[in-house]
């Protein structure tokens, strides 16, 4: 299973970006998909997550500004980021959790390669 993230870039404060992450491979189902970020010198943190049943999680720092969505038919998760702030600058990683694949009875977690978001003041 591979996760390919895209959509990062440089944006001014107050601007918007949309991240995408597509999972590919012999996927039968994915339970949760989410976004994490890691700023320089800081630990990776959870930003937003979307469960297979539709439940959502947002970090307090992004509530009201970021929206997570997914297209199950494409095994793709999106993160719409509005009203961006310089403190949102980080490498953003997508993750697929609880992934069942053909030929395996176990669910695994997979990570994308990361996409850099830089917000200038």
């Amino acid at each position: 299973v591979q996760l390919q993230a895209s959509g990062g870039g440089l944006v001014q404060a107050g601007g918007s970006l949309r991240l995408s992450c597509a999972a590919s491979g012999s996927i039968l189902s994915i339970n949760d998909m989410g976004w994490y970020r890691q700023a320089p010198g800081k630990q990776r943190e959870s930003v937003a997550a979307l469960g297979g049943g539709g439940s959502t999680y947002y970090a307090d720092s992004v509530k009201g500004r970021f929206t997570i969505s997914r297209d199950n038919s494409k095994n793709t998760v999106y993160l719409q980021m509005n009203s961006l702030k310089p403190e949102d600058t980080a490498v953003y990683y997508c993750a697929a959790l609880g992934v069942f694949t053909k030929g395996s009875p176990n669910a695994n977690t997979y990570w994308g390669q990361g996409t850099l978001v830089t917000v200038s003041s």
Side-chain angles (χ1 to χ4, degrees):
V1 175
Q2 292 186 329
L3 271 66
Q4 182 68 45
S6 61
L10 173 63
V11 64
Q12 288 188 331
S16 299
L17 282 175
R18 188 188 192 216
L19 305 182
S20 299
C21 176
S24 61
S26 301
I27 298 170
L28 293 175
S29 63
I30 302 175
N31 284 334
D32 303 330
M33 299 190 80
W35 291 93
Y36 296 72
R37 68 186 180 187
Q38 187 167 17
K42 295 187 176 181
Q43 289 187 331
R44 188 175 298 189
E45 62 175 354
S46 178
V47 176
L50 180 53
S55 60
T56 56
Y57 161 82
Y58 292 98
D60 287 342
S61 59
V62 306
K63 283 181 181 177
R65 300 188 298 121
F66 291 9
T67 302
I68 189 170
S69 60
R70 64 192 279 183
D71 184 338
N72 291 328
S73 68
K74 298 179 180 179
N75 290 325
T76 299
V77 63
Y78 307 94
L79 186 67
Q80 178 66 44
M81 305 185 295
N82 299 328
S83 303
L84 282 161
K85 305 175 181 180
E87 50 264 43
D88 294 318
T89 295
V91 177
Y92 284 70
Y93 299 89
C94 59
L97 301 90
V99 181
F100 286 94
T101 56
K102 295 177 184 177
S104 174
N106 302 315
N108 293 297
T109 296
Y110 297 91
W111 291 87
Q113 84 284 8
T115 184
L116 178 62
V117 172
T118 303
V119 184
S120 62
S121 58

mmCIF file of all heavy atoms in Angstrom, residues 67-91:
data_model
loop_
_atom_site.group_PDB
_atom_site.id
_atom_site.type_symbol
_atom_site.label_atom_id
_atom_site.label_comp_id
_atom_site.label_asym_id
_atom_site.label_seq_id
_atom_site.Cartn_x
_atom_site.Cartn_y
_atom_site.Cartn_z
ATOM 1 N N THR A 67 -10.903 21.560 7.189
ATOM 2 C CA THR A 67 -11.964 20.587 6.986
ATOM 3 C C THR A 67 -11.390 19.339 6.324
ATOM 4 O O THR A 67 -10.740 19.438 5.283
ATOM 5 C CB THR A 67 -13.078 21.160 6.095
ATOM 6 O OG1 THR A 67 -13.608 22.352 6.694
ATOM 7 C CG2 THR A 67 -14.206 20.150 5.943
ATOM 8 N N ILE A 68 -11.645 18.201 6.938
ATOM 9 C CA ILE A 68 -11.192 16.938 6.372
ATOM 10 C C ILE A 68 -12.362 16.260 5.680
ATOM 11 O O ILE A 68 -13.500 16.328 6.138
ATOM 12 C CB ILE A 68 -10.590 16.021 7.463
ATOM 13 C CG1 ILE A 68 -9.926 14.794 6.828
ATOM 14 C CG2 ILE A 68 -11.635 15.623 8.500
ATOM 15 C CD1 ILE A 68 -9.101 13.980 7.812
ATOM 16 N N SER A 69 -12.058 15.617 4.550
ATOM 17 C CA SER A 69 -13.079 14.872 3.823
ATOM 18 C C SER A 69 -12.396 13.697 3.133
ATOM 19 O O SER A 69 -11.170 13.654 3.043
ATOM 20 C CB SER A 69 -13.787 15.768 2.802
ATOM 21 O OG SER A 69 -12.870 16.278 1.848
ATOM 22 N N ARG A 70 -13.195 12.759 2.661
ATOM 23 C CA ARG A 70 -12.613 11.613 1.984
ATOM 24 C C ARG A 70 -13.541 11.124 0.902
ATOM 25 O O ARG A 70 -14.761 11.274 0.993
ATOM 26 C CB ARG A 70 -12.247 10.489 2.966
ATOM 27 C CG ARG A 70 -13.405 9.865 3.678
ATOM 28 C CD ARG A 70 -12.968 8.963 4.834
ATOM 29 N NE ARG A 70 -12.564 7.635 4.376
ATOM 30 C CZ ARG A 70 -12.193 6.660 5.214
ATOM 31 N NH1 ARG A 70 -12.142 6.892 6.522
ATOM 32 N NH2 ARG A 70 -11.846 5.472 4.755
ATOM 33 N N ASP A 71 -12.951 10.521 -0.103
ATOM 34 C CA ASP A 71 -13.676 9.868 -1.186
ATOM 35 C C ASP A 71 -13.323 8.391 -1.098
ATOM 36 O O ASP A 71 -12.236 7.980 -1.517
ATOM 37 C CB ASP A 71 -13.269 10.461 -2.537
ATOM 38 C CG ASP A 71 -14.071 9.895 -3.699
ATOM 39 O OD1 ASP A 71 -14.622 8.782 -3.557
ATOM 40 O OD2 ASP A 71 -14.122 10.557 -4.743
ATOM 41 N N ASN A 72 -14.219 7.619 -0.530
ATOM 42 C CA ASN A 72 -13.925 6.204 -0.310
ATOM 43 C C ASN A 72 -13.750 5.441 -1.621
ATOM 44 O O ASN A 72 -13.006 4.460 -1.670
ATOM 45 C CB ASN A 72 -15.032 5.572 0.527
ATOM 46 C CG ASN A 72 -15.031 6.085 1.954
ATOM 47 O OD1 ASN A 72 -13.986 6.409 2.506
ATOM 48 N ND2 ASN A 72 -16.208 6.181 2.550
ATOM 49 N N SER A 73 -14.426 5.878 -2.655
ATOM 50 C CA SER A 73 -14.302 5.191 -3.939
ATOM 51 C C SER A 73 -12.906 5.342 -4.532
ATOM 52 O O SER A 73 -12.482 4.531 -5.349
ATOM 53 C CB SER A 73 -15.346 5.709 -4.926
ATOM 54 O OG SER A 73 -15.078 7.050 -5.288
ATOM 55 N N LYS A 74 -12.205 6.376 -4.094
ATOM 56 C CA LYS A 74 -10.849 6.637 -4.580
ATOM 57 C C LYS A 74 -9.795 6.434 -3.503
ATOM 58 O O LYS A 74 -8.615 6.682 -3.743
ATOM 59 C CB LYS A 74 -10.745 8.077 -5.109
ATOM 60 C CG LYS A 74 -11.650 8.371 -6.288
ATOM 61 C CD LYS A 74 -11.496 9.818 -6.741
ATOM 62 C CE LYS A 74 -12.392 10.121 -7.925
ATOM 63 N NZ LYS A 74 -12.269 11.550 -8.363
ATOM 64 N N ASN A 75 -10.228 5.994 -2.324
ATOM 65 C CA ASN A 75 -9.299 5.835 -1.185
ATOM 66 C C ASN A 75 -8.457 7.099 -1.006
ATOM 67 O O ASN A 75 -7.232 7.030 -0.815
ATOM 68 C CB ASN A 75 -8.393 4.615 -1.376
ATOM 69 C CG ASN A 75 -9.139 3.313 -1.240
ATOM 70 O OD1 ASN A 75 -10.074 3.205 -0.438
ATOM 71 N ND2 ASN A 75 -8.753 2.328 -2.014
ATOM 72 N N THR A 76 -9.119 8.221 -1.065
ATOM 73 C CA THR A 76 -8.433 9.510 -1.012
ATOM 74 C C THR A 76 -9.001 10.357 0.114
ATOM 75 O O THR A 76 -10.214 10.385 0.327
ATOM 76 C CB THR A 76 -8.583 10.254 -2.350
ATOM 77 O OG1 THR A 76 -7.991 9.468 -3.383
ATOM 78 C CG2 THR A 76 -7.890 11.606 -2.302
ATOM 79 N N VAL A 77 -8.100 11.027 0.818
ATOM 80 C CA VAL A 77 -8.490 11.938 1.885
ATOM 81 C C VAL A 77 -7.986 13.335 1.529
ATOM 82 O O VAL A 77 -6.924 13.484 0.912
ATOM 83 C CB VAL A 77 -7.944 11.473 3.252
ATOM 84 C CG1 VAL A 77 -6.426 11.478 3.281
ATOM 85 C CG2 VAL A 77 -8.516 12.312 4.386
ATOM 86 N N TYR A 78 -8.771 14.324 1.894
ATOM 87 C CA TYR A 78 -8.446 15.717 1.602
ATOM 88 C C TYR A 78 -8.387 16.529 2.894
ATOM 89 O O TYR A 78 -9.036 16.188 3.879
ATOM 90 C CB TYR A 78 -9.499 16.334 0.677
ATOM 91 C CG TYR A 78 -9.750 15.549 -0.584
ATOM 92 C CD1 TYR A 78 -10.786 14.620 -0.647
ATOM 93 C CD2 TYR A 78 -8.955 15.732 -1.706
ATOM 94 C CE1 TYR A 78 -11.028 13.893 -1.803
ATOM 95 C CE2 TYR A 78 -9.190 15.004 -2.864
ATOM 96 C CZ TYR A 78 -10.225 14.091 -2.911
ATOM 97 O OH TYR A 78 -10.449 13.369 -4.052
ATOM 98 N N LEU A 79 -7.634 17.595 2.851
ATOM 99 C CA LEU A 79 -7.616 18.541 3.964
ATOM 100 C C LEU A 79 -7.687 19.942 3.371
ATOM 101 O O LEU A 79 -6.732 20.409 2.765
ATOM 102 C CB LEU A 79 -6.353 18.387 4.820
ATOM 103 C CG LEU A 79 -6.344 19.234 6.082
ATOM 104 C CD1 LEU A 79 -7.414 18.755 7.064
ATOM 105 C CD2 LEU A 79 -4.963 19.206 6.749
ATOM 106 N N GLN A 80 -8.834 20.567 3.544
ATOM 107 C CA GLN A 80 -9.005 21.950 3.114
ATOM 108 C C GLN A 80 -8.569 22.851 4.249
ATOM 109 O O GLN A 80 -9.123 22.773 5.357
ATOM 110 C CB GLN A 80 -10.461 22.223 2.748
ATOM 111 C CG GLN A 80 -10.738 23.664 2.333
ATOM 112 C CD GLN A 80 -10.057 24.043 1.038
ATOM 113 O OE1 GLN A 80 -10.073 23.275 0.079
ATOM 114 N NE2 GLN A 80 -9.468 25.235 1.002
ATOM 115 N N MET A 81 -7.583 23.673 3.984
ATOM 116 C CA MET A 81 -7.018 24.538 5.017
ATOM 117 C C MET A 81 -7.274 25.990 4.649
ATOM 118 O O MET A 81 -6.770 26.464 3.624
ATOM 119 C CB MET A 81 -5.517 24.273 5.160
ATOM 120 C CG MET A 81 -5.170 22.827 5.433
ATOM 121 S SD MET A 81 -3.413 22.563 5.745
ATOM 122 C CE MET A 81 -2.722 22.992 4.155
ATOM 123 N N ASN A 82 -8.060 26.661 5.467
ATOM 124 C CA ASN A 82 -8.391 28.070 5.253
ATOM 125 C C ASN A 82 -7.816 28.922 6.376
ATOM 126 O O ASN A 82 -7.452 28.403 7.435
ATOM 127 C CB ASN A 82 -9.899 28.257 5.169
ATOM 128 C CG ASN A 82 -10.540 27.489 4.030
ATOM 129 O OD1 ASN A 82 -9.926 27.302 2.972
ATOM 130 N ND2 ASN A 82 -11.772 27.044 4.223
ATOM 131 N N SER A 83 -7.758 30.200 6.138
ATOM 132 C CA SER A 83 -7.264 31.147 7.144
ATOM 133 C C SER A 83 -5.943 30.684 7.750
ATOM 134 O O SER A 83 -5.762 30.653 8.962
ATOM 135 C CB SER A 83 -8.316 31.332 8.247
ATOM 136 O OG SER A 83 -9.542 31.773 7.729
ATOM 137 N N LEU A 84 -5.040 30.316 6.891
ATOM 138 C CA LEU A 84 -3.768 29.762 7.345
ATOM 139 C C LEU A 84 -2.957 30.785 8.123
ATOM 140 O O LEU A 84 -2.992 31.995 7.825
ATOM 141 C CB LEU A 84 -2.978 29.238 6.154
ATOM 142 C CG LEU A 84 -3.460 27.878 5.633
ATOM 143 C CD1 LEU A 84 -2.963 27.631 4.214
ATOM 144 C CD2 LEU A 84 -3.006 26.766 6.561
ATOM 145 N N LYS A 85 -2.242 30.282 9.108
ATOM 146 C CA LYS A 85 -1.407 31.098 9.973
ATOM 147 C C LYS A 85 0.041 30.633 9.862
ATOM 148 O O LYS A 85 0.299 29.469 9.534
ATOM 149 C CB LYS A 85 -1.870 30.966 11.429
ATOM 150 C CG LYS A 85 -3.330 31.288 11.659
ATOM 151 C CD LYS A 85 -3.718 31.009 13.112
ATOM 152 C CE LYS A 85 -5.185 31.309 13.377
ATOM 153 N NZ LYS A 85 -5.567 31.040 14.791
ATOM 154 N N PRO A 86 0.982 31.511 10.160
ATOM 155 C CA PRO A 86 2.392 31.084 10.109
ATOM 156 C C PRO A 86 2.664 29.857 10.981
ATOM 157 O O PRO A 86 3.504 29.024 10.619
ATOM 158 C CB PRO A 86 3.132 32.320 10.638
ATOM 159 C CG PRO A 86 2.263 33.461 10.228
ATOM 160 C CD PRO A 86 0.858 32.951 10.390
ATOM 161 N N GLU A 87 1.936 29.718 12.084
ATOM 162 C CA GLU A 87 2.151 28.561 12.956
ATOM 163 C C GLU A 87 1.629 27.261 12.364
ATOM 164 O O GLU A 87 1.831 26.192 12.940
ATOM 165 C CB GLU A 87 1.530 28.792 14.344
ATOM 166 C CG GLU A 87 0.086 29.257 14.326
ATOM 167 C CD GLU A 87 -0.028 30.770 14.436
ATOM 168 O OE1 GLU A 87 0.759 31.495 13.770
ATOM 169 O OE2 GLU A 87 -0.920 31.242 15.185
ATOM 170 N N ASP A 88 0.957 27.334 11.220
ATOM 171 C CA ASP A 88 0.550 26.121 10.519
ATOM 172 C C ASP A 88 1.680 25.564 9.655
ATOM 173 O O ASP A 88 1.539 24.479 9.086
ATOM 174 C CB ASP A 88 -0.665 26.397 9.631
ATOM 175 C CG ASP A 88 -1.911 26.749 10.418
ATOM 176 O OD1 ASP A 88 -2.166 26.096 11.445
ATOM 177 O OD2 ASP A 88 -2.645 27.677 9.992
ATOM 178 N N THR A 89 2.767 26.287 9.557
ATOM 179 C CA THR A 89 3.904 25.832 8.769
ATOM 180 C C THR A 89 4.446 24.519 9.317
ATOM 181 O O THR A 89 4.771 24.414 10.508
ATOM 182 C CB THR A 89 5.018 26.889 8.774
ATOM 183 O OG1 THR A 89 4.537 28.071 8.100
ATOM 184 C CG2 THR A 89 6.269 26.375 8.067
ATOM 185 N N ALA A 90 4.516 23.515 8.467
ATOM 186 C CA ALA A 90 4.960 22.183 8.885
ATOM 187 C C ALA A 90 4.978 21.260 7.674
ATOM 188 O O ALA A 90 4.470 21.607 6.598
ATOM 189 C CB ALA A 90 4.016 21.611 9.951
ATOM 190 N N VAL A 91 5.553 20.099 7.876
ATOM 191 C CA VAL A 91 5.391 19.016 6.909
ATOM 192 C C VAL A 91 4.134 18.256 7.310
ATOM 193 O O VAL A 91 3.998 17.839 8.467
ATOM 194 C CB VAL A 91 6.604 18.075 6.890
ATOM 195 C CG1 VAL A 91 6.355 16.922 5.922
ATOM 196 C CG2 VAL A 91 7.862 18.838 6.494
#
